[in-house]
Amino acid sequence: MTRLENFISRMTAQRDILDQVCPEVAKMEGPVLELGLGNGRTYHHLRERLPGRRIVVFDRELSAHASSIPDAEDFVLGEIRETAKRFIGIDAALVHADIGTGYDDRDAVTSIWLPDLIARLLRVGGFAVSGTPLEHPLLQRLQPPPSVPADRYFVCRRV
């Protein structure tokens, strides 16, 4: 698979899973957390799917498209691993993390700390959506939509 095909597959899986969980998230209390803003495409998608919902975004730099920049009070600048810890216990309804690098060694390090952080950010019943596997006793892996190939993108619920 080319890098372009891989990107398209990842983005399609991300969209399909978010579209699957957003109707459930809309019924829940709690903010949405976006770990990694990047260009802001997913943030823009979440704003459309969850209008009026507070979305707190974390990233080490602000490089999003002008149409996808969160309000200053909802943008947390710094290393996600550290800055998101200040939000533990916020009882998020959804945490989305697309912070993989495509380098197996770097992503292996992320997969060590990310699942526990996400579990501690979510409310019971809240959803985690990630490009990185989330192995944690408090995160129950769910089936993605049929359009998403196995292990392409991950969706879990906090138990």
Side-chain angles (χ1 to χ4, degrees):
M1 180 182 300
T2 69
R3 289 187 65 230
L4 176 60
E5 291 166 326
N6 186 45
F7 175 76
I8 292 167
S9 173
R10 182 169 56 89
M11 292 297 99
T12 301
Q14 182 187 107
R15 180 204 58 209
D16 292 354
I17 290 174
L18 288 172
D19 286 352
Q20 177 186 27
V21 302
C22 278
E24 292 300 314
V25 170
K27 299 174 192 173
M28 304 171 120
E29 297 290 324
V32 170
L33 305 183
E34 173 77 340
L35 305 184
L37 177 61
N39 185 274
R41 287 179 286 263
T42 305
Y43 171 73
H44 190 268
H45 191 76
L46 288 169
R47 281 193 333 211
E48 292 288 320
R49 296 299 184 268
L50 299 165
R53 179 53 81 56
R54 182 176 186 211
I55 303 173
V56 181
V57 180
F58 301 79
D59 212 325
R60 65 174 68 119
E61 64 181 356
L62 181 58
S63 58
H65 186 273
S67 67
S68 301
I69 296 176
D71 294 334
E73 65 270 13
D74 290 329
F75 181 70
V76 182
L77 184 65
E79 290 297 321
I80 295 167
R81 182 179 183 179
E82 299 306 318
T83 58
K85 287 179 183 177
R86 296 193 314 251
F87 289 77
I88 288 172
I90 197 169
D91 286 339
L94 169 65
V95 176
H96 174 252
D98 186 15
I99 57 175
T101 64
Y103 293 98
D104 291 341
D105 57 334
R106 293 180 193 171
D107 293 344
V109 172
T110 301
S111 69
I112 293 170
W113 59 264
L114 184 62
D116 186 62
L117 176 63
I118 288 178
R120 296 168 71 195
L121 293 168
L122 281 171
R123 69 178 306 108
V124 171
F127 291 92
V129 178
S130 175
T132 306
L134 299 171
E135 301 297 330
H136 192 279
L138 295 177
L139 298 174
Q140 177 186 29
R141 192 166 174 181
L142 303 175
Q143 283 296 115
S147 61
V148 178
D151 297 330
R152 170 71 271 192
Y153 219 80
F154 304 90
V155 57
C156 299
R157 194 155 204 178
R158 168 75 159 74
V159 294

